[in-house]
Amino acid sequence: MLNGKLTIVTLGSHSALQILKGAKDEGFKTLVVTTTEKAHFYKRFKFIDEILSIPEYSDFESIEKKLRNKNCILVPHGSFVAHLGLEINKRMSLPYFGNKSVLDFEAHREKQRQWLKNADINVPAQFEDVENISYPVIVKSYGAAGGKGYFYAKSKNDFKKKMGNFKAKHYVIQEYVIGVTLYIHYFYSPLTSELEILSMDRRYETNVDSLGRIPLRGQVGLKIEPSYVVVGNSPLILRESLLHEAYDMGERIIKASKELIDKRGLWGPFCLETVITEDSEFFAMEISCRIVAGTNLFIEGSPYSWLTYDEPMSTGRRIAREIKIAKKKNKLSQVLN
Ligand code: ATP
């Protein structure tokens, strides 16, 4: 039972600074759980009230009881599933911002694809049979993070040649969509049933985003293969004529989640990872059902959040604002799991 002053807690990694800064700005107590070696780093930030250290992120469960006594609400981010695994996330007993039923859909590529298709969102074609490969593909291993372990093949023969060195047992062969990548950061409020776009970013990936800096004739003979490892993020503003579709896709994802996952569906922050083609069509590569690291660019808000709020509004702060309103209206159960 949550009573009195609440504490927002998260793992010291990924977007913890943004989440805890936002929580502080909204009047919460803040606590970070981090590894012993990183505790010193988090001490630099005055908006963090308390730091708890554990030897490894995977030891998180060992301090859950302690956190329960501190009136905590947990705000998950990308490192939760990466460091603790899906099962620990699901069985955590701390009040958790978001719907845990969504985790299975996020983790399984086929379920995720079905969800996107139900939302009438274009997804890249997939090849079950290698012999059917008729245009460039990207081969994605399961369980990869940050684009590691992917390769590009321009044809069936190229694919067969490269498969020889590929170690992953489980992978998908996906149409390589040529266009501009764009990651759209949404927030859906279960309290008002309203969807917002808070910001957008592009990932900068090595070496695919730098290949254009070497002219083709300079690349001949070098045998450079594109790779997709995220190095950082940069902002991008979408043409206004495409913006309505970005909102509509978000609305359709929420609607489809309520039909497919459970009645409550998806809420809180989520990100649609898209490629926009020369015909101005969006293709979704993936959906992340939580705060993504690209939102760290916008701790002071973005042009999009500024259209809605006359104050700096990061995704981290928006989460805290939702919890604050829910508490005031006695509706915490609507935003927590
Ligand atoms: P994360 O889990 O961190 O979001 P990931 O490892 O699941 O990343 P993706 O986001 O699926 O990886 O893809 C990594 C990068 O690979 C993309 O940012 C994009 O540059 C490229 N990519 C993935 N799928 C496609 C596709 N179908 N067409 C073109 N490029 C793609």
Side-chain angles (χ1 to χ4, degrees), residues 62 83 85 102 126 137 148 156 166 171 194 201 216 224 241 248 261 293-294 318 334:
S62 66
H83 289 309
V102 166
Q126 269 179 202
V137 292
K148 266 196 186 134
K156 181 166 63 183
F166 194 55
Y171 56 86
E194 275 174 25
D201 79 301
L216 187 58
I224 306 172
S241 59
D248 289 351
I261 299 173
R318 183 64 189 85
Q334 276 192 27

mmCIF file of all heavy atoms in Angstrom, residues 62 83 85 102 126 137 148 156 166 171 194 201 216 224 241 248 261 293-294 318 334:
data_model
loop_
_atom_site.group_PDB
_atom_site.id
_atom_site.type_symbol
_atom_site.label_atom_id
_atom_site.label_comp_id
_atom_site.label_asym_id
_atom_site.label_seq_id
_atom_site.Cartn_x
_atom_site.Cartn_y
_atom_site.Cartn_z
ATOM 1 N N SER A 62 17.559 -8.940 -4.535
ATOM 2 C CA SER A 62 17.962 -9.042 -3.132
ATOM 3 C C SER A 62 17.619 -7.785 -2.329
ATOM 4 O O SER A 62 17.580 -7.834 -1.102
ATOM 5 C CB SER A 62 19.468 -9.345 -3.049
ATOM 6 O OG SER A 62 20.173 -8.213 -3.546
ATOM 7 N N HIS A 83 19.523 -6.372 -18.259
ATOM 8 C CA HIS A 83 20.350 -6.837 -17.139
ATOM 9 C C HIS A 83 19.653 -7.866 -16.246
ATOM 10 O O HIS A 83 20.314 -8.698 -15.638
ATOM 11 C CB HIS A 83 20.767 -5.658 -16.251
ATOM 12 C CG HIS A 83 21.776 -4.765 -16.897
ATOM 13 N ND1 HIS A 83 22.934 -5.229 -17.468
ATOM 14 C CD2 HIS A 83 21.797 -3.423 -17.072
ATOM 15 C CE1 HIS A 83 23.623 -4.212 -17.956
ATOM 16 N NE2 HIS A 83 22.951 -3.109 -17.743
ATOM 17 N N GLY A 85 16.648 -9.647 -17.126
ATOM 18 C CA GLY A 85 15.919 -10.684 -17.854
ATOM 19 C C GLY A 85 14.413 -10.506 -17.688
ATOM 20 O O GLY A 85 13.934 -9.867 -16.751
ATOM 21 N N VAL A 102 2.749 -6.339 -21.480
ATOM 22 C CA VAL A 102 3.297 -5.904 -22.759
ATOM 23 C C VAL A 102 4.703 -6.490 -22.982
ATOM 24 O O VAL A 102 5.149 -6.656 -24.120
ATOM 25 C CB VAL A 102 3.338 -4.345 -22.763
ATOM 26 C CG1 VAL A 102 4.172 -3.806 -23.881
ATOM 27 C CG2 VAL A 102 1.925 -3.789 -22.809
ATOM 28 N N GLN A 126 9.489 -10.400 -44.602
ATOM 29 C CA GLN A 126 10.441 -11.381 -44.060
ATOM 30 C C GLN A 126 10.495 -12.599 -44.966
ATOM 31 O O GLN A 126 9.488 -13.003 -45.534
ATOM 32 C CB GLN A 126 10.016 -11.790 -42.648
ATOM 33 C CG GLN A 126 10.684 -10.885 -41.653
ATOM 34 C CD GLN A 126 10.356 -11.139 -40.211
ATOM 35 O OE1 GLN A 126 10.515 -10.232 -39.426
ATOM 36 N NE2 GLN A 126 9.921 -12.313 -39.841
ATOM 37 N N VAL A 137 18.677 -7.618 -48.010
ATOM 38 C CA VAL A 137 18.092 -8.016 -46.722
ATOM 39 C C VAL A 137 19.029 -7.638 -45.569
ATOM 40 O O VAL A 137 20.229 -7.429 -45.766
ATOM 41 C CB VAL A 137 17.826 -9.547 -46.658
ATOM 42 C CG1 VAL A 137 16.725 -9.949 -47.620
ATOM 43 C CG2 VAL A 137 19.095 -10.354 -46.896
ATOM 44 N N LYS A 148 23.799 -5.013 -32.570
ATOM 45 C CA LYS A 148 24.977 -5.906 -32.661
ATOM 46 C C LYS A 148 24.546 -7.234 -33.278
ATOM 47 O O LYS A 148 23.445 -7.714 -32.996
ATOM 48 C CB LYS A 148 25.545 -6.163 -31.267
ATOM 49 C CG LYS A 148 26.655 -5.219 -30.927
ATOM 50 C CD LYS A 148 27.480 -5.703 -29.740
ATOM 51 C CE LYS A 148 28.469 -4.618 -29.396
ATOM 52 N NZ LYS A 148 28.579 -4.298 -28.030
ATOM 53 N N LYS A 156 20.684 -12.997 -52.813
ATOM 54 C CA LYS A 156 20.660 -14.377 -52.293
ATOM 55 C C LYS A 156 22.078 -14.945 -52.185
ATOM 56 O O LYS A 156 22.448 -15.542 -51.182
ATOM 57 C CB LYS A 156 19.797 -15.235 -53.235
ATOM 58 C CG LYS A 156 19.658 -16.662 -52.815
ATOM 59 C CD LYS A 156 18.552 -17.345 -53.574
ATOM 60 C CE LYS A 156 18.807 -17.416 -55.057
ATOM 61 N NZ LYS A 156 17.697 -18.015 -55.813
ATOM 62 N N PHE A 166 28.337 -16.581 -39.859
ATOM 63 C CA PHE A 166 27.330 -16.072 -38.922
ATOM 64 C C PHE A 166 27.066 -17.134 -37.849
ATOM 65 O O PHE A 166 26.743 -18.273 -38.151
ATOM 66 C CB PHE A 166 26.045 -15.764 -39.699
ATOM 67 C CG PHE A 166 25.035 -14.945 -38.955
ATOM 68 C CD1 PHE A 166 25.378 -13.716 -38.405
ATOM 69 C CD2 PHE A 166 23.729 -15.385 -38.819
ATOM 70 C CE1 PHE A 166 24.435 -12.946 -37.739
ATOM 71 C CE2 PHE A 166 22.770 -14.630 -38.154
ATOM 72 C CZ PHE A 166 23.130 -13.402 -37.610
ATOM 73 N N TYR A 171 17.503 -16.370 -36.039
ATOM 74 C CA TYR A 171 17.598 -15.062 -36.696
ATOM 75 C C TYR A 171 16.410 -14.889 -37.635
ATOM 76 O O TYR A 171 15.694 -15.849 -37.938
ATOM 77 C CB TYR A 171 18.913 -14.960 -37.469
ATOM 78 C CG TYR A 171 19.112 -16.059 -38.473
ATOM 79 C CD1 TYR A 171 18.605 -15.958 -39.754
ATOM 80 C CD2 TYR A 171 19.783 -17.226 -38.106
ATOM 81 C CE1 TYR A 171 18.764 -16.992 -40.665
ATOM 82 C CE2 TYR A 171 19.946 -18.259 -39.009
ATOM 83 C CZ TYR A 171 19.436 -18.146 -40.288
ATOM 84 O OH TYR A 171 19.575 -19.165 -41.191
ATOM 85 N N GLU A 194 -5.119 10.095 -23.639
ATOM 86 C CA GLU A 194 -4.515 10.949 -24.671
ATOM 87 C C GLU A 194 -3.094 10.510 -25.009
ATOM 88 O O GLU A 194 -2.351 10.076 -24.127
ATOM 89 C CB GLU A 194 -4.485 12.404 -24.195
ATOM 90 C CG GLU A 194 -5.797 13.114 -24.494
ATOM 91 C CD GLU A 194 -5.856 14.507 -23.923
ATOM 92 O OE1 GLU A 194 -4.786 15.123 -23.713
ATOM 93 O OE2 GLU A 194 -6.991 14.961 -23.687
ATOM 94 N N ASP A 201 14.192 11.079 -32.339
ATOM 95 C CA ASP A 201 15.642 11.091 -32.548
ATOM 96 C C ASP A 201 16.012 10.185 -33.701
ATOM 97 O O ASP A 201 15.155 9.479 -34.247
ATOM 98 C CB ASP A 201 16.403 10.661 -31.279
ATOM 99 C CG ASP A 201 16.413 9.161 -31.087
ATOM 100 O OD1 ASP A 201 15.319 8.550 -30.985
ATOM 101 O OD2 ASP A 201 17.505 8.554 -31.067
ATOM 102 N N LEU A 216 32.213 6.035 -53.169
ATOM 103 C CA LEU A 216 32.185 4.630 -53.572
ATOM 104 C C LEU A 216 33.538 4.158 -54.120
ATOM 105 O O LEU A 216 34.026 3.096 -53.767
ATOM 106 C CB LEU A 216 31.070 4.432 -54.604
ATOM 107 C CG LEU A 216 30.800 2.985 -54.999
ATOM 108 C CD1 LEU A 216 30.428 2.143 -53.768
ATOM 109 C CD2 LEU A 216 29.683 2.923 -56.029
ATOM 110 N N ILE A 224 34.390 -3.241 -46.946
ATOM 111 C CA ILE A 224 33.716 -2.717 -45.760
ATOM 112 C C ILE A 224 32.276 -3.226 -45.761
ATOM 113 O O ILE A 224 31.575 -3.099 -46.766
ATOM 114 C CB ILE A 224 33.664 -1.167 -45.757
ATOM 115 C CG1 ILE A 224 35.059 -0.578 -45.924
ATOM 116 C CG2 ILE A 224 33.014 -0.644 -44.483
ATOM 117 C CD1 ILE A 224 35.056 0.934 -46.135
ATOM 118 N N SER A 241 4.110 17.743 -42.735
ATOM 119 C CA SER A 241 3.117 16.978 -43.503
ATOM 120 C C SER A 241 3.135 15.482 -43.168
ATOM 121 O O SER A 241 2.232 14.749 -43.534
ATOM 122 C CB SER A 241 3.346 17.187 -45.004
ATOM 123 O OG SER A 241 4.650 16.773 -45.337
ATOM 124 N N ASP A 248 -1.058 9.256 -35.813
ATOM 125 C CA ASP A 248 -2.058 8.217 -36.105
ATOM 126 C C ASP A 248 -1.490 6.818 -35.832
ATOM 127 O O ASP A 248 -2.187 5.948 -35.311
ATOM 128 C CB ASP A 248 -2.528 8.302 -37.563
ATOM 129 C CG ASP A 248 -3.391 9.536 -37.781
ATOM 130 O OD1 ASP A 248 -3.746 10.202 -36.790
ATOM 131 O OD2 ASP A 248 -3.689 9.856 -38.956
ATOM 132 N N ILE A 261 -3.390 -7.461 -26.397
ATOM 133 C CA ILE A 261 -2.597 -7.821 -25.215
ATOM 134 C C ILE A 261 -3.500 -8.029 -24.001
ATOM 135 O O ILE A 261 -3.619 -9.120 -23.471
ATOM 136 C CB ILE A 261 -1.511 -6.746 -24.957
ATOM 137 C CG1 ILE A 261 -0.591 -6.689 -26.184
ATOM 138 C CG2 ILE A 261 -0.718 -7.066 -23.692
ATOM 139 C CD1 ILE A 261 0.419 -5.587 -26.193
ATOM 140 N N ALA A 293 16.617 5.351 -24.816
ATOM 141 C CA ALA A 293 17.772 6.199 -24.503
ATOM 142 C C ALA A 293 17.813 7.470 -25.347
ATOM 143 O O ALA A 293 18.367 8.486 -24.914
ATOM 144 C CB ALA A 293 19.059 5.400 -24.664
ATOM 145 N N GLY A 294 17.183 7.444 -26.525
ATOM 146 C CA GLY A 294 17.167 8.636 -27.380
ATOM 147 C C GLY A 294 16.458 9.819 -26.725
ATOM 148 O O GLY A 294 16.685 10.970 -27.099
ATOM 149 N N ARG A 318 7.603 13.449 -17.630
ATOM 150 C CA ARG A 318 6.200 13.147 -17.982
ATOM 151 C C ARG A 318 5.710 11.910 -17.212
ATOM 152 O O ARG A 318 4.546 11.850 -16.797
ATOM 153 C CB ARG A 318 6.099 12.931 -19.505
ATOM 154 C CG ARG A 318 4.691 12.687 -20.005
ATOM 155 C CD ARG A 318 3.800 13.884 -19.780
ATOM 156 N NE ARG A 318 2.401 13.602 -20.069
ATOM 157 C CZ ARG A 318 1.546 13.065 -19.205
ATOM 158 N NH1 ARG A 318 1.935 12.737 -17.985
ATOM 159 N NH2 ARG A 318 0.293 12.844 -19.547
ATOM 160 N N GLN A 334 -4.317 2.657 -11.757
ATOM 161 C CA GLN A 334 -4.473 2.739 -13.222
ATOM 162 C C GLN A 334 -3.146 2.892 -13.954
ATOM 163 O O GLN A 334 -3.077 2.670 -15.160
ATOM 164 C CB GLN A 334 -5.338 3.949 -13.584
ATOM 165 C CG GLN A 334 -6.813 3.649 -13.500
ATOM 166 C CD GLN A 334 -7.634 4.767 -14.150
ATOM 167 O OE1 GLN A 334 -7.189 5.466 -15.045
ATOM 168 N NE2 GLN A 334 -8.830 4.942 -13.663
#
